């Protein structure tokens, strides 16, 4: 199944229906209000402000639908869920348009405002939902006819595995292999295109099996009755087959997109507003000791992809010549000005560039070097879960625990990062940011 192509279908449909809905709405506006100011309908429709609205309105609706998270997962949509998602986003958008655009109209009677509001909301919903439901129904037919499918492997043998295999018939899933938990799972995943792993094992030692599977960075789903430790994870309905995605969290799709937009907006503002501070710190770093202004290092980020993190240099040049070393509290490798930067976390502010590039987020688990990740997962394989979200400039682990100067302490701090991952929300992000600001202004960064 081509996710990008399916997403594009929804976007094109939403654009076309938004154009049509706004055109029909303008016809109503003309008959109710504008006919008193324009001699003909064509003069009204060709008026500069009306034409501008006709061009901009589809982009406005795309922005609303993007924030709603509708385009995040183009497959697996239900008709009922689609109806409510469309209704909520259309109602929200209509209210915004009404106050920004329609209230500028001056009808002869106040009740015309009500007619215009419900007409716009009705037209936008009816046309948008019609286009979406057609695309969704077409996809469901392709799935039922086994023309589209996701490649999955089932881990486990016995009655549960057989039951799962039977339940997944006539769904979007194509079972590539049914494997025993002791078989070479890595070989299958590396040589076949596997989209998801479904665990349906009779084994009582299910936790150890899950820890082993995290490293493959595939969505892992399991029957809810097996999920005793992760009760807060949402149950996903897969065509009447309930599974728990234990690699997913409770963050809504709308929340994810709002967080993404907030990251970009704040990053741009910080880079612009603090540019004089950047210049001042750069000059001080250069004057404090020999070496580059910026410290660059490879870290592991979203989906396990490496990226180059950027900081202001706080150590003497060539301090890590002998290999990766964690910073100690009174580390002699740190320069005098570097100590000041670390105290107020000012060495981290170049990472707003990483946020703007998409490598990082404002809030998220701190990214680590591969060297330390390899040592962490030996004791805590569930660390791989953190690669399902973008790493952050600040994190719950940094706020509650602080810097870790040993692998064991990094594992202790991991508990806070996992807690954040399982309970992600915009409110939690804002709370962490406020605590970080407090840390910066009180100089408790070390």
């Amino acid at each position: 199944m081509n996710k990008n192509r399916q997403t594009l279908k929804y976007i094109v449909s939403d654009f076309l229906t938004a154009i049509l809905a706004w055109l029909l709405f303008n016809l109503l506006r003309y008959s109710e209000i504008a006919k008193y100011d324009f001699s003909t309908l064509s003069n009204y429709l060709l008026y500069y402000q009306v034409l501008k609205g006709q061009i901009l309105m589809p982009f406005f609706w795309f922005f609303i639908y993007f924030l709603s998270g509708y385009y995040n997962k183009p497959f697996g949509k239900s008709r009922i869920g689609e109806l409510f998602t469309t209704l909520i986003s259309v109602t929200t958008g209509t209210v915004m348009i009404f106050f920004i655009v329609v209230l500028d109209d001056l009808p002869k009677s106040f009740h015309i405002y009500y007619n215009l509001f419900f007409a716009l909301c009705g037209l936008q919903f009816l046309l948008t939902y019609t286009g979406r439901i057609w695309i969704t129904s077409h996809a469901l037919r392709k799935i039922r006819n086994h023309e589209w499918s996701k490649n999955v492997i089932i881990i486990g043998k016995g009655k549960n595995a057989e039951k799962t295999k039977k339940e997944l018939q006539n769904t979007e899933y194509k079972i590539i292999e049914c494997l025993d938990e002791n078989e070479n799972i890595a070989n299958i995943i590396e040589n076949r295109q596997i989209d998801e792993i479904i665990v349906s094992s009779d084994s009582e030692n299910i936790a150890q099996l899950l820890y082993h599977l995290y490293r493959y960075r595939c969505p892992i789903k399991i029957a809810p009755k097996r999920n005793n430790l992760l009760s807060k994870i949402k149950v996903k309905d897969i065509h009447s087959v309930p599974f728990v995605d234990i690699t997913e969290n409770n963050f809504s799709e709308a929340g994810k997109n709002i967080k993404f937009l907030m990251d970009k907006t704040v990053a741009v503002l910080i880079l612009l507003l603090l540019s004089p501070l950047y210049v001042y710190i750069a000059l001080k770093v250069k004057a404090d000791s020999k070496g580059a202004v910026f410290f660059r290092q490879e870290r592991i980020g979203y989906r396990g992809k490496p990226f180059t993190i950027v900081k202001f240099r706080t150590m003497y040049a060539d301090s890590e010549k002998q290999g990766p070393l964690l910073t100690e509290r009174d580390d002699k490798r740190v320069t005098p000005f570097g100590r000041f930067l670390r105290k107020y976390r000012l060495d981290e502010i170049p990472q707003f560039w990483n946020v703007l590039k998409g490598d990082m987020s404002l809030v998220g688990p701190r990214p680590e070097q591969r060297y330390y990740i390899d040592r962490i997962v030996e004791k805590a394989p569930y660390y791989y879960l953190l690669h399902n979200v973008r790493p952050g400039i600040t994190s719950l682990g940094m706020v509650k625990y602080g810097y870790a100067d040993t692998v064991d302490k990094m594992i202790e701090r991991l508990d806070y990062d996992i807690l954040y991952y399982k309970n992600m929300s915009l409110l939690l992000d804002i709370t962490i940011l406020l605590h970080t600001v407090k840390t910066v202004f009180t100089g408790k960064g070390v």
Side-chain angles (χ1 to χ4, degrees):
M1 294 189 289
N2 192 315
K3 180 180 177 180
N4 293 334
R5 184 180 298 174
Q6 186 72 358
T7 301
L8 183 61
K9 288 180 182 178
Y10 284 115
I11 292 173
V12 170
S13 174
D14 287 346
F15 258 81
L16 294 177
T17 53
I19 292 171
L20 180 58
W22 190 247
L23 177 61
L24 294 174
F25 178 68
N26 275 330
L27 296 179
L28 179 61
R29 287 174 79 189
Y30 175 78
S31 65
E32 293 284 359
I33 302 171
K35 66 182 180 181
Y36 301 108
D37 299 314
F38 294 86
S39 57
T40 65
L41 175 61
S42 60
N43 286 342
Y44 172 67
L45 294 178
L46 294 175
Y47 179 57
Y48 168 73
Q49 292 292 347
V50 176
L51 279 175
K52 185 172 71 171
Q54 190 69 58
I55 294 170
L56 294 178
M57 202 52 64
F59 292 95
F60 167 81
W61 282 111
F62 170 76
F63 178 73
I64 294 295
Y65 298 146
F66 166 78
L67 289 184
S68 74
Y70 182 80
Y71 304 127
N72 288 16
K73 295 183 177 180
F75 293 109
K77 295 182 182 294
S78 71
R79 293 183 179 91
I80 298 297
E82 197 159 46
L83 186 147
F84 283 106
T85 300
T86 305
L87 182 61
I88 292 169
S89 53
V90 164
T91 303
T92 302
T94 302
V95 169
M96 294 174 68
I97 292 172
F98 189 79
F99 282 100
I100 296 171
V101 179
V102 180
L103 279 181
D104 286 341
D105 296 338
L106 297 173
K108 292 194 172 183
S109 175
F110 193 78
H111 79 275
I112 292 176
Y113 279 131
Y114 293 102
N115 295 341
L116 292 174
F117 176 84
F118 288 110
L120 176 58
C121 192
L123 283 169
Q124 189 68 40
F125 172 76
L126 182 63
L127 293 173
T128 303
Y129 183 67
T130 299
R132 289 178 171 186
I133 200 65
W134 186 87
I135 295 170
T136 299
S137 298
H138 176 72
L140 291 175
R141 283 195 298 272
K142 289 279 189 180
I143 290 168
R144 282 196 296 269
N145 294 334
H146 302 288
E147 296 177 49
W148 289 353
S149 61
K150 286 182 181 179
N151 294 337
V152 300
I153 55 174
I154 298 176
I155 308 296
K157 296 287 186 180
K159 292 181 180 179
N160 283 337
E162 289 299 318
K163 182 182 178 182
T164 300
K165 187 176 179 180
K166 186 176 180 181
E167 287 175 333
L168 290 179
Q169 293 176 356
N170 299 318
T171 69
E172 76 259 43
Y173 286 92
K174 178 182 179 181
I175 301 171
I176 301 300
E177 293 279 355
C178 282
L179 304 172
D180 187 85
E181 46 261 50
N182 297 318
E183 291 186 53
N184 190 352
I185 300 169
N187 186 52
I188 297 294
I189 292 176
E190 289 170 5
N191 294 295
R192 304 291 293 270
Q193 180 60 47
I194 303 300
D195 298 307
E196 293 181 6
I197 299 172
I198 295 176
V199 177
S200 186
S201 173
D202 294 321
S203 172
E204 293 301 321
N205 195 17
I206 198 75
Q208 280 300 116
L209 174 59
L210 294 178
Y211 290 163
H212 178 65
L213 295 175
Y214 288 139
R215 70 188 68 236
Y216 300 120
R217 300 189 181 94
C218 274
I220 303 172
K221 295 181 178 177
I222 189 169
K225 63 182 179 180
R226 291 285 185 185
N227 185 44
N228 298 321
L229 299 175
L230 302 169
S231 58
K232 286 191 175 183
I233 303 297
K234 289 181 180 178
V235 176
K236 309 288 183 182
D237 229 0
I238 308 173
H239 297 283
S240 301
V241 184
F243 286 98
V244 174
D245 188 338
I246 62 169
T247 52
E248 187 59 273
N249 55 38
N250 288 335
F251 206 16
S252 68
E253 297 304 320
K256 291 175 185 176
N257 287 6
I258 294 171
K259 176 181 171 72
F260 177 83
L261 182 65
M262 185 173 71
D263 285 342
K264 301 297 184 184
T265 303
V266 172
V268 169
L269 291 174
I270 291 293
L271 289 170
L272 290 175
L273 295 176
L274 296 188
S275 54
L277 178 61
Y278 280 75
V279 173
Y280 171 77
I281 293 175
L283 293 173
K284 287 287 289 182
V285 169
K286 198 69 178 173
D288 192 46
S289 64
K290 294 180 180 180
V293 169
F294 296 107
F295 169 75
R296 292 177 172 87
Q297 189 178 69
E298 184 182 276
R299 299 288 177 95
I300 306 301
Y302 185 56
R303 300 299 187 195
K305 293 180 180 178
F307 72 97
T308 301
I309 197 171
V310 184
K311 298 183 180 185
F312 281 119
R313 181 174 58 83
T314 59
M315 292 186 178
Y316 293 103
D318 300 326
S319 292
E320 292 196 337
K321 248 185 174 181
Q322 297 178 347
L325 290 172
L326 292 169
T327 307
E328 299 174 356
R329 181 170 292 274
D330 296 317
D331 202 317
K332 294 181 179 179
R333 296 174 299 163
V334 179
T335 66
F337 187 62
R339 205 169 300 282
F340 170 81
L341 292 178
R342 284 171 174 249
K343 181 177 181 181
Y344 292 97
R345 300 256 176 102
L346 293 175
D347 59 318
E348 309 282 0
I349 60 174
Q351 289 164 45
F352 285 102
W353 174 247
N354 288 115
V355 174
L356 188 60
K357 286 173 59 185
D359 297 326
M360 297 177 67
S361 177
L362 296 177
V363 181
R366 286 294 294 167
E368 301 292 351
Q369 299 175 65
R370 190 182 298 277
Y371 175 87
Y372 292 112
I373 291 174
D374 290 343
R375 280 145 186 81
I376 291 170
V377 297
E378 289 176 2
K379 298 180 179 179
Y382 48 87
Y383 176 89
Y384 285 123
L385 285 174
L386 300 185
H387 288 161
N388 289 324
V389 294
R390 283 181 176 80
I393 294 178
T394 186
S395 68
L396 184 62
M398 290 300 292
V399 167
K400 290 291 187 181
Y401 191 92
Y403 287 107
D405 55 12
T406 67
V407 171
D408 287 337
K409 288 182 179 180
M410 293 169 81
I411 293 172
E412 289 178 16
R413 190 177 64 187
L414 175 61
D415 291 341
Y416 291 104
D417 289 328
I418 292 293
L419 183 65
Y420 168 79
Y421 175 77
K422 296 300 182 186
N423 296 278
M424 286 179 69
S425 70
L426 293 174
L427 181 60
L428 181 56
D429 273 18
I430 292 170
T431 303
I432 292 171
L433 286 172
L434 291 175
H435 277 282
T436 302
V437 171
K438 180 182 176 183
T439 300
V440 169
F441 280 101
T442 57
K444 295 180 178 179
V446 177

